[in-house]
Amino acid sequence: MEHESLHARARAKGVNPLMYWLVRGVLQPFFHLYFRLSRIGREHIPATGPVILASNHRSFVDPFIIATLARRPLYYVAKEELFHSRFIGWVLNNLGAFPVRRGKGDSDMIETAREILARGDAVLIFPEGTRIRPGALGRPRRGVGRLALETGAPVVPVAIIGTEAIRKGWRIRPHKVRVRVGRALTFPQVQAPSRTLAAAVTDRIWPCVMLQWEWLGGLPPLRRAAVVGAGSWGTAVAVMLARAGLEVDLGCRTADQANHVTSSGCNEEYLPGVELPESVTVMRASELELSRHDLVAFAVPSAALPSAVAAHGGAIPRRAGVLVMSKGLVPPLGSLPSAFVAERVNAWAVGALAGPAHAAAALSGGASLVVGATDAAFGRQVTTALTAAGFDAGWTPDVVGVELAGCAKNAAALAAAAASHAGPNAAGAAAGKVFAEIDALARHEGSAPETFAGLAGAGDLVATVMAEGSRNRRAGEMLAEGVPAEDIDSVLGQTAEAVACVPLLAERVQAAGVDAPALRGLAGVIEGEVEPAEWTESLTAPRPAPKRPRKVRAA
């Protein structure tokens, strides 16, 4: 149907009374029986006169369920694409829907809503602008604030929960749905309000919607975070989260370190030149009160993860999510860090953070980050915070791939440096073969191929190799020089994850039955069982001719 005619009907004629009440008479008992619908706070909706209902948006059925809150027709905005079918558009328009062009300042939509309110009817607005299925609520747009100011109509905050789970493909599943209504908000009528004023009013309305949402048990936004580990990456993530508007507690290993960072305002030992925001509170890790936090991040080496989890895991509340930033395997069994943590904490979700993000460069020039989380709500919650901090952030459910890719990039950088004395060809062969062998292990364990080919794998590998202070590259050079593996961390003054991780990876690939000669040889070098020169020569040595053409291993 034509855009103008749809608005004209909503402005002049309104709903088709016969169709509206017939459809409502069928849907309302269906909602009560099939969705066990619960409606709280209906008395806050005025029985007469203009009113704006501002609600979060989770499903296509939200307008129909919210319409059952009041005993009068409810007009609502719907995306323009729904009206492309003449029949569907006609039905929706007769039931009170009128179109909006999403992502644009739609003056027709605002004018239609104004006229509906001027004649004393009710309008439903979804300030998020689109459906937000997993996680916390989205960010509101200022249209609802503008409409409230231009019309002077009271605004009733509404939250709906449960509708995001009712649809699976084309099937509508039974699921508990609850709606809660808050007290109406009123604002003075203003002619031609500015964008700043409209945004300010929206910022008053939306917290009231969030209040209803959280009362219903909806996932709250991240407000407070704790970072366990004040190394370069832990400090950088604390700064990132503070930039996103969170209050952050940064836990240091010792009281002396905490006092020094607090007095100087920056972590000169691990992240020199980066001033900590005022919203970052530095303390000794043992003093962290994790029961107050929405997010707990472990930024410690994999070898230190068992002691960190033993010290803090029991204090993490059920409502908190956990983000693991260790890149390696956890000794002695070679467990993946997030799996190790998930078995030992009571958090509602556990994920991993990866991507090409050297700490200092990320804060000064930006970075692309990957959040690995099986829970889509947690993945969206963390990526939203990182995006608000000014970073390019994405989410993937491939946690195994993300964490093994982190192992692979460190091991490949170590291998390349350990073989670099023999020239670039040997270094390239070492990195390529080790990386491909760990990729084969990841695929064996269910990882998606694109994970290793993307930011968490190849992208992070390039960043590690090119970074001036790459610990794993320097560790590889020291191995080639004959420095014992057990002395490398003390010489570096920091932990080179790959030194401890490669032997664990070699055991893991052997247990999985994955062919990994380059990785096993590198593990032998680290353990002192193979000479570096002998391993380097084996990388490019010709192999016996096979009886049939040999396939190249997948990268």
Side-chain angles (χ1 to χ4, degrees):
M1 298 180 70
E2 293 184 3
H3 189 84
E4 293 77 9
S5 63
L6 294 168
H7 283 286
R9 177 179 181 86
R11 294 172 186 175
K13 297 182 179 179
V15 301
N16 181 320
L18 179 61
M19 178 181 292
Y20 183 89
W21 292 108
L22 179 62
V23 170
R24 175 167 172 162
V26 173
L27 290 182
Q28 185 164 330
F30 172 77
F31 293 154
H32 281 288
L33 293 173
Y34 201 67
F35 298 142
R36 293 168 289 152
L37 178 61
S38 171
R39 301 173 295 173
I40 305 167
R42 295 172 60 198
E43 66 276 8
H44 297 314
I45 301 177
T48 59
V51 61
I52 301 169
L53 276 69
S55 173
N56 67 303
H57 196 12
R58 294 270 149 168
S59 169
F60 71 98
V61 302
D62 291 346
F64 303 102
I65 291 178
I66 294 172
T68 67
L69 296 174
R71 295 184 179 277
R72 56 171 172 158
L74 187 66
Y75 296 83
Y76 62 95
V77 294
K79 61 182 180 180
E80 188 180 36
E81 293 82 356
L82 292 175
F83 296 89
H84 289 173
S85 167
R86 293 185 63 85
F87 176 71
I88 294 177
W90 177 82
V91 171
L92 291 175
N93 199 222
N94 276 270
L95 294 177
F98 55 98
V100 59
R101 295 188 177 100
R102 297 185 297 176
K104 303 176 182 178
D106 193 339
S107 58
D108 287 338
M109 183 275 289
I110 292 292
E111 181 59 32
T112 299
R114 274 200 300 255
E115 294 198 20
I116 292 172
L117 292 168
R119 68 171 184 248
D121 283 327
V123 172
L124 170 63
I125 297 287
F126 297 113
E128 292 163 303
T130 187
R131 284 176 284 178
I132 306 294
R133 287 195 178 90
L137 301 186
R139 299 176 68 87
R141 301 180 182 180
R142 62 176 179 269
V144 64
R146 175 186 170 187
L147 188 61
L149 289 168
E150 289 183 343
T151 63
V155 181
V156 175
V158 179
I160 185 168
I161 194 168
T163 55
E164 68 277 5
I166 68 173
R167 180 177 173 182
K168 186 174 183 180
W170 291 101
R171 188 162 62 93
I172 304 299
R173 303 180 296 181
H175 192 278
K176 177 67 176 176
V177 173
R178 293 183 295 158
V179 187
R180 192 170 194 261
V181 183
R183 294 183 182 276
L185 307 170
T186 57
F187 302 93
Q189 190 168 359
V190 177
Q191 295 294 330
S194 66
R195 292 187 175 187
T196 302
L197 183 58
V201 170
T202 301
D203 289 342
R204 293 286 301 276
I205 296 170
W206 195 241
C208 297
V209 177
M210 295 176 66
L211 182 65
Q212 314 309 317
W213 165 256
E214 292 181 36
W215 190 94
L216 291 172
L219 184 66
L222 295 177
R223 297 186 178 98
R224 293 184 60 89
V227 179
V228 180
S232 57
W233 192 221
T235 306
V237 169
V239 174
M240 291 179 187
L241 295 174
R243 289 180 180 178
L246 279 69
E247 294 181 26
V248 184
D249 291 337
L250 177 60
C252 299
R253 185 175 62 256
T254 65
D256 287 343
Q257 183 190 16
N259 293 334
H260 180 72
V261 174
T262 300
S263 60
S264 63
C266 63
N267 192 345
E268 287 293 344
E269 182 180 0
Y270 292 103
L271 200 62
V274 177
E275 186 175 348
L276 298 182
E278 292 184 0
S279 56
V280 175
T281 302
V282 182
M283 63 186 69
R284 191 176 180 181
S286 59
E287 299 174 352
L288 290 169
E289 297 182 13
L290 300 182
S291 61
R292 303 187 303 161
H293 296 87
D294 306 308
L295 177 69
V296 178
F298 284 101
V300 299
S302 297
L305 196 58
S307 59
V309 173
H312 302 286
I316 298 175
R318 172 64 184 167
R319 64 177 182 80
V322 174
L323 191 63
V324 183
M325 296 179 290
S326 307
K327 292 186 177 180
L329 297 181
V330 182
L333 301 179
S335 307
L336 290 175
S338 65
F340 178 87
V341 173
E343 292 174 354
R344 291 164 176 81
V345 301
N346 193 37
W348 72 275
V350 176
L353 183 64
H358 187 265
L363 294 177
S364 61
S368 293
L369 302 169
V370 179
V371 178
T374 55
D375 190 290
F378 182 63
R380 179 177 170 272
Q381 187 184 52
V382 176
T383 54
T384 298
L386 293 172
T387 301
F391 294 91
D392 171 37
W395 163 76
T396 174
D398 185 10
V399 182
V400 171
V402 164
E403 293 196 304
L404 283 178
C407 297
K409 66 96 179 180
N410 283 338
L414 180 84
S420 61
H421 65 280
N425 292 341
K433 290 183 177 183
V434 167
F435 194 80
E437 289 168 0
I438 303 174
D439 182 21
L441 170 66
R443 298 193 194 195
H444 179 271
E445 297 189 5
S447 172
E450 56 268 22
T451 301
F452 268 67
L455 293 171
D460 205 358
L461 172 60
V462 172
T464 299
V465 171
M466 294 189 65
E468 291 183 5
S470 173
R471 293 165 291 175
N472 291 290
R473 186 183 67 192
R474 180 64 186 129
E477 294 169 350
M478 294 170 69
L479 278 177
E481 295 166 0
V483 177
E486 58 269 20
D487 295 339
I488 289 177
D489 285 355
S490 60
V491 175
L492 287 174
Q494 297 187 65
T495 301
E497 291 273 24
V499 175
C501 180
V502 166
L504 294 173
L505 280 167
E507 294 178 5
R508 191 162 180 142
V509 296
Q510 182 177 3
V514 175
D515 186 26
L519 183 65
R520 289 198 307 271
L522 182 58
V525 173
I526 293 172
E527 293 169 338
E529 298 174 355
V530 177
E531 290 296 324
E534 178 186 347
W535 171 71
T536 303
E537 291 175 3
S538 71
L539 295 170
T540 56
R543 303 184 184 186
K547 294 181 180 180
R548 60 180 64 185
R550 182 175 58 87
K551 293 183 179 179
V552 177
R553 289 184 180 87

XYZ file of all heavy atoms in Angstrom, residues 437-501:
454
model
N 48.368 -26.750 12.074
C 48.153 -27.946 12.901
C 47.201 -27.657 14.056
O 46.350 -28.493 14.398
C 49.506 -28.451 13.412
C 50.357 -29.076 12.311
C 51.797 -29.309 12.717
O 52.159 -28.981 13.866
O 52.577 -29.830 11.891
N 47.308 -26.480 14.647
C 46.368 -26.134 15.721
C 44.989 -25.856 15.135
O 43.959 -26.148 15.757
C 46.900 -24.934 16.522
C 48.277 -25.243 17.090
C 45.937 -24.588 17.665
C 48.941 -24.065 17.784
N 44.946 -25.318 13.920
C 43.661 -25.139 13.232
C 42.991 -26.486 13.017
O 41.775 -26.631 13.203
C 43.894 -24.430 11.897
C 42.603 -24.168 11.133
O 41.529 -24.161 11.767
O 42.663 -23.980 9.908
N 43.785 -27.496 12.630
C 43.225 -28.838 12.439
C 42.658 -29.381 13.749
O 41.610 -30.037 13.772
C 44.293 -29.773 11.887
N 43.357 -29.108 14.855
C 42.849 -29.521 16.167
C 41.528 -28.815 16.476
O 40.571 -29.445 16.946
C 43.884 -29.186 17.247
C 43.402 -29.332 18.693
C 43.107 -30.789 19.015
C 44.431 -28.766 19.666
N 41.463 -27.520 16.200
C 40.250 -26.758 16.477
C 39.071 -27.292 15.674
O 37.962 -27.439 16.190
C 40.484 -25.284 16.165
N 39.315 -27.592 14.396
C 38.223 -28.149 13.583
C 37.800 -29.515 14.099
O 36.606 -29.868 14.066
C 38.657 -28.232 12.121
C 38.975 -26.874 11.505
C 39.075 -26.967 10.011
N 39.692 -25.771 9.432
C 39.642 -25.465 8.162
N 38.996 -26.242 7.313
N 40.234 -24.377 7.712
N 38.761 -30.282 14.564
C 38.443 -31.591 15.140
C 37.540 -31.446 16.349
O 36.693 -32.313 16.624
C 39.747 -32.312 15.514
C 39.543 -33.658 16.143
N 39.403 -33.827 17.505
C 39.430 -34.903 15.585
C 39.232 -35.113 17.770
N 39.245 -35.785 16.623
N 37.705 -30.331 17.082
C 36.905 -30.095 18.281
C 35.661 -29.257 18.012
O 35.003 -28.807 18.937
C 37.778 -29.435 19.353
C 38.925 -30.339 19.800
C 39.668 -29.810 21.010
O 39.233 -28.786 21.578
O 40.669 -30.428 21.400
N 35.350 -29.020 16.720
C 34.090 -28.389 16.362
C 34.157 -26.927 16.008
O 33.116 -26.279 15.845
N 35.347 -26.372 15.863
C 35.464 -24.955 15.531
C 35.075 -24.695 14.085
O 35.210 -25.554 13.211
C 36.900 -24.473 15.764
O 37.087 -23.162 15.275
N 34.612 -23.468 13.821
C 34.282 -23.051 12.459
C 35.550 -22.602 11.738
O 36.395 -21.923 12.332
C 33.267 -21.909 12.501
N 35.717 -22.946 10.447
C 36.936 -22.578 9.714
C 37.194 -21.078 9.687
O 38.341 -20.643 9.725
C 36.676 -23.120 8.307
C 35.643 -24.181 8.477
C 34.802 -23.754 9.627
N 36.123 -20.272 9.629
C 36.317 -18.823 9.502
C 36.924 -18.188 10.754
O 37.436 -17.064 10.695
C 34.989 -18.128 9.186
C 33.874 -18.383 10.163
C 32.991 -19.563 9.779
O 33.464 -20.432 9.012
O 31.840 -19.610 10.246
N 36.894 -18.885 11.883
C 37.456 -18.297 13.101
C 38.966 -18.125 12.974
O 39.515 -17.066 13.291
C 37.125 -19.172 14.322
O 35.704 -19.283 14.452
C 37.684 -18.561 15.596
N 39.664 -19.157 12.511
C 41.113 -19.061 12.348
C 41.487 -18.137 11.201
O 42.541 -17.502 11.222
C 41.715 -20.446 12.125
C 42.154 -21.114 13.398
C 41.225 -21.502 14.350
C 43.488 -21.346 13.654
C 41.615 -22.113 15.525
C 43.903 -21.954 14.829
C 42.954 -22.336 15.781
N 40.628 -18.039 10.208
C 40.921 -17.171 9.064
C 40.626 -15.708 9.369
O 41.040 -14.826 8.618
C 40.101 -17.606 7.851
N 39.945 -15.423 10.463
C 39.505 -14.062 10.760
C 40.338 -13.366 11.812
O 41.532 -13.631 11.992
N 39.673 -12.459 12.546
C 40.373 -11.593 13.494
C 41.019 -12.367 14.634
O 42.141 -12.050 15.050
C 39.389 -10.572 14.061
C 38.845 -9.532 13.078
C 37.722 -8.742 13.729
C 39.957 -8.604 12.628
N 40.331 -13.370 15.175
C 40.854 -14.091 16.326
C 42.071 -14.931 15.974
O 42.893 -15.238 16.847
C 39.770 -14.989 16.927
N 42.211 -15.306 14.701
C 43.325 -16.140 14.276
C 44.369 -15.379 13.493
O 45.345 -14.865 14.049
N 44.170 -15.281 12.170
C 45.158 -14.637 11.308
C 45.388 -13.181 11.692
O 46.528 -12.696 11.691
C 44.711 -14.743 9.847
N 44.320 -12.465 12.027
C 44.468 -11.060 12.397
C 45.316 -10.885 13.639
O 46.217 -10.033 13.690
N 45.062 -11.697 14.657
C 45.833 -11.605 15.896
C 47.270 -12.066 15.689
O 48.204 -11.557 16.328
C 45.151 -12.436 16.983
C 45.478 -11.943 18.383
O 46.257 -10.985 18.504
O 44.953 -12.515 19.352
N 47.481 -13.025 14.799
C 48.838 -13.496 14.497
C 49.687 -12.368 13.919
O 50.830 -12.147 14.333
C 48.782 -14.673 13.530
C 50.139 -15.159 12.975
C 51.043 -15.612 14.122
C 49.927 -16.276 11.961
N 49.131 -11.645 12.960
C 49.872 -10.537 12.353
C 50.203 -9.478 13.401
O 51.326 -8.951 13.453
C 49.068 -9.924 11.187
C 49.742 -8.665 10.677
C 48.922 -10.937 10.054
N 49.233 -9.156 14.252
C 49.477 -8.154 15.295
C 50.571 -8.605 16.247
O 51.424 -7.806 16.669
C 48.184 -7.881 16.063
N 50.583 -9.893 16.593
C 51.592 -10.421 17.515
C 52.984 -10.382 16.896
O 53.969 -10.025 17.555
C 51.225 -11.857 17.924
O 49.954 -11.841 18.579
C 52.257 -12.443 18.868
N 53.086 -10.753 15.623
C 54.386 -10.776 14.951
C 54.941 -9.368 14.767
O 56.135 -9.122 14.903
C 54.278 -11.505 13.598
C 55.561 -11.350 12.791
C 53.973 -12.980 13.818
N 54.062 -8.395 14.480
C 54.511 -7.048 14.172
C 54.709 -6.171 15.409
O 55.403 -5.155 15.340
C 53.515 -6.364 13.228
C 53.439 -6.992 11.853
S 52.472 -6.006 10.700
C 53.478 -4.526 10.561
N 54.091 -6.529 16.523
C 54.201 -5.697 17.722
C 55.655 -5.622 18.188
O 56.349 -6.644 18.281
C 53.318 -6.260 18.825
N 56.098 -4.417 18.506
C 57.489 -4.226 18.921
C 57.815 -4.997 20.195
O 58.896 -5.558 20.339
C 57.768 -2.733 19.132
C 57.754 -1.917 17.852
C 58.098 -0.464 18.108
O 58.432 -0.139 19.274
O 58.050 0.325 17.160
N 56.891 -5.035 21.116
C 57.160 -5.694 22.393
C 56.594 -7.093 22.484
O 56.260 -7.547 23.579
N 56.468 -7.790 21.364
C 55.869 -9.127 21.366
C 56.672 -10.076 22.248
O 57.821 -10.404 21.958
C 55.791 -9.673 19.943
O 55.361 -11.015 19.956
N 56.069 -10.517 23.332
C 56.755 -11.414 24.263
C 57.020 -12.779 23.643
O 58.081 -13.379 23.856
C 55.926 -11.574 25.526
C 55.812 -10.301 26.369
C 54.720 -10.407 27.397
N 53.407 -10.426 26.768
C 52.270 -10.606 27.413
N 52.283 -10.814 28.714
N 51.121 -10.592 26.781
N 56.054 -13.291 22.875
C 56.216 -14.619 22.305
C 57.261 -14.632 21.187
O 57.983 -15.613 21.022
C 54.862 -15.118 21.792
C 53.904 -15.411 22.936
O 54.083 -16.367 23.682
N 52.893 -14.570 23.097
N 57.339 -13.545 20.432
C 58.388 -13.469 19.420
C 59.763 -13.429 20.079
O 60.685 -14.123 19.669
C 58.185 -12.229 18.547
C 59.157 -12.150 17.369
C 58.964 -10.869 16.597
N 59.350 -9.705 17.399
C 59.072 -8.450 17.059
N 58.382 -8.190 15.964
N 59.485 -7.456 17.834
N 59.898 -12.613 21.123
C 61.183 -12.533 21.836
C 61.515 -13.870 22.487
O 62.688 -14.294 22.513
C 61.105 -11.427 22.886
C 62.381 -11.252 23.686
C 63.534 -10.800 22.827
N 64.787 -10.774 23.604
C 65.906 -11.344 23.220
N 65.975 -11.990 22.061
N 66.983 -11.258 23.964
N 60.509 -14.561 22.995
C 60.741 -15.871 23.610
C 61.266 -16.866 22.576
O 62.152 -17.673 22.877
C 59.454 -16.385 24.240
N 60.726 -16.810 21.354
C 61.225 -17.688 20.300
C 62.669 -17.406 19.958
O 63.472 -18.334 19.719
N 63.038 -16.128 19.915
C 64.432 -15.768 19.638
C 65.356 -16.296 20.737
O 66.469 -16.758 20.459
C 64.553 -14.249 19.531
C 63.804 -13.668 18.334
C 63.706 -12.145 18.390
O 64.058 -11.573 19.446
O 63.279 -11.542 17.385
N 64.884 -16.227 21.981
C 65.691 -16.723 23.093
C 65.840 -18.243 23.044
O 66.905 -18.782 23.364
C 65.063 -16.280 24.417
C 65.090 -14.760 24.610
S 64.116 -14.180 26.015
C 65.073 -14.821 27.365
N 64.794 -18.937 22.628
C 64.900 -20.389 22.467
C 65.972 -20.736 21.436
O 66.782 -21.655 21.639
C 63.553 -20.977 22.025
C 62.492 -21.243 23.078
C 61.216 -21.742 22.417
C 62.988 -22.268 24.109
N 65.975 -20.007 20.318
C 66.970 -20.258 19.272
C 68.383 -19.983 19.762
O 69.351 -20.603 19.286
C 66.659 -19.394 18.045
N 68.496 -19.062 20.722
C 69.807 -18.737 21.277
C 70.242 -19.715 22.356
O 71.358 -19.596 22.896
C 69.778 -17.317 21.860
C 69.553 -16.232 20.806
C 69.198 -14.886 21.434
O 69.122 -14.823 22.683
O 68.981 -13.925 20.681
N 69.373 -20.659 22.697
C 69.734 -21.676 23.673
C 69.353 -21.353 25.100
O 69.764 -22.060 26.033
N 68.542 -20.312 25.305
C 68.085 -19.983 26.658
C 67.078 -21.039 27.111
O 66.114 -21.335 26.390
C 67.446 -18.581 26.693
C 66.914 -18.276 28.091
C 68.443 -17.525 26.249
N 67.260 -21.658 28.276
C 66.296 -22.657 28.753
C 64.898 -22.067 28.891
O 64.738 -20.908 29.294
C 66.866 -23.084 30.111
C 68.315 -22.731 30.052
C 68.402 -21.504 29.199
N 63.907 -22.855 28.580
C 62.523 -22.369 28.606
C 62.128 -21.867 29.990
O 61.394 -20.873 30.107
C 61.581 -23.489 28.163
N 62.623 -22.519 31.036
C 62.217 -22.118 32.385
C 62.796 -20.767 32.798
O 62.342 -20.167 33.783
C 62.627 -23.188 33.405
C 64.105 -23.489 33.443
C 64.494 -24.626 32.504
O 63.710 -24.910 31.571
O 65.567 -25.214 32.721
N 63.781 -20.249 32.051
C 64.389 -18.960 32.391
C 63.798 -17.798 31.577
O 64.104 -16.629 31.860
C 65.906 -19.006 32.148
C 66.609 -19.998 33.065
O 66.025 -20.335 34.114
O 67.716 -20.434 32.729
N 62.985 -18.111 30.579
C 62.549 -17.068 29.643
C 61.680 -16.017 30.319
O 61.887 -14.804 30.152
C 61.816 -17.703 28.440
C 62.826 -18.437 27.554
C 61.071 -16.637 27.630
C 62.220 -19.160 26.379
N 60.700 -16.431 31.113
C 59.797 -15.458 31.740
C 60.542 -14.510 32.670
O 60.252 -13.307 32.719
C 58.692 -16.183 32.510
C 57.640 -16.778 31.591
O 57.720 -16.552 30.380
O 56.739 -17.485 32.099
N 61.522 -15.029 33.409
C 62.270 -14.162 34.321
C 63.122 -13.166 33.560
O 63.276 -12.010 33.993
C 63.141 -15.007 35.255
O 64.078 -15.784 34.509
N 63.668 -13.571 32.424
C 64.459 -12.656 31.605
C 63.566 -11.585 30.988
O 63.907 -10.400 30.949
C 65.234 -13.420 30.514
C 65.957 -12.436 29.578
C 66.234 -14.375 31.138
N 62.405 -11.990 30.498
C 61.473 -11.046 29.878
C 60.838 -10.112 30.900
O 60.496 -8.974 30.589
C 60.362 -11.799 29.140
C 60.728 -12.501 27.833
C 59.538 -13.302 27.336
C 61.158 -11.480 26.786
N 60.649 -10.590 32.108
C 59.929 -9.809 33.106
C 58.430 -9.913 32.953
O 57.681 -9.291 33.701
N 57.952 -10.689 31.979
C 56.527 -10.938 31.752
C 56.366 -12.383 31.289
O 57.354 -13.074 30.992
C 55.956 -9.985 30.697
C 56.003 -8.519 31.095
C 55.271 -7.649 30.095
O 54.062 -7.738 29.907
N 56.024 -6.774 29.433
N 55.121 -12.822 31.196
C 54.854 -14.196 30.796
C 54.681 -14.304 29.294
O 53.861 -13.598 28.699
C 53.582 -14.723 31.491
O 53.758 -14.662 32.901
C 53.299 -16.162 31.079
N 55.456 -15.196 28.678
C 55.261 -15.543 27.268
C 54.390 -16.795 27.242
O 54.872 -17.910 27.498
C 56.595 -15.787 26.580
N 53.102 -16.617 26.972
C 52.119 -17.702 27.096
C 52.498 -18.948 26.300
O 52.254 -20.071 26.724
C 50.743 -17.208 26.646
C 50.095 -16.190 27.575
C 49.295 -16.844 28.682
O 49.587 -18.007 29.017
O 48.396 -16.186 29.218
N 53.100 -18.759 25.117
C 53.339 -19.894 24.230
C 54.340 -20.888 24.800
O 54.284 -22.077 24.482
C 53.823 -19.403 22.870
N 55.260 -20.437 25.642
C 56.289 -21.335 26.181
C 55.645 -22.454 26.994
O 56.016 -23.617 26.878
C 57.301 -20.539 27.034
C 58.297 -21.482 27.695
C 58.027 -19.511 26.176
N 54.666 -22.119 27.823
C 53.976 -23.134 28.610
C 52.872 -23.810 27.815
O 52.517 -24.970 28.084
C 53.393 -22.498 29.870
N 52.328 -23.083 26.821
C 51.158 -23.598 26.105
C 51.508 -24.667 25.069
O 50.764 -25.627 24.885
C 50.436 -22.433 25.431
S 48.960 -22.891 24.511
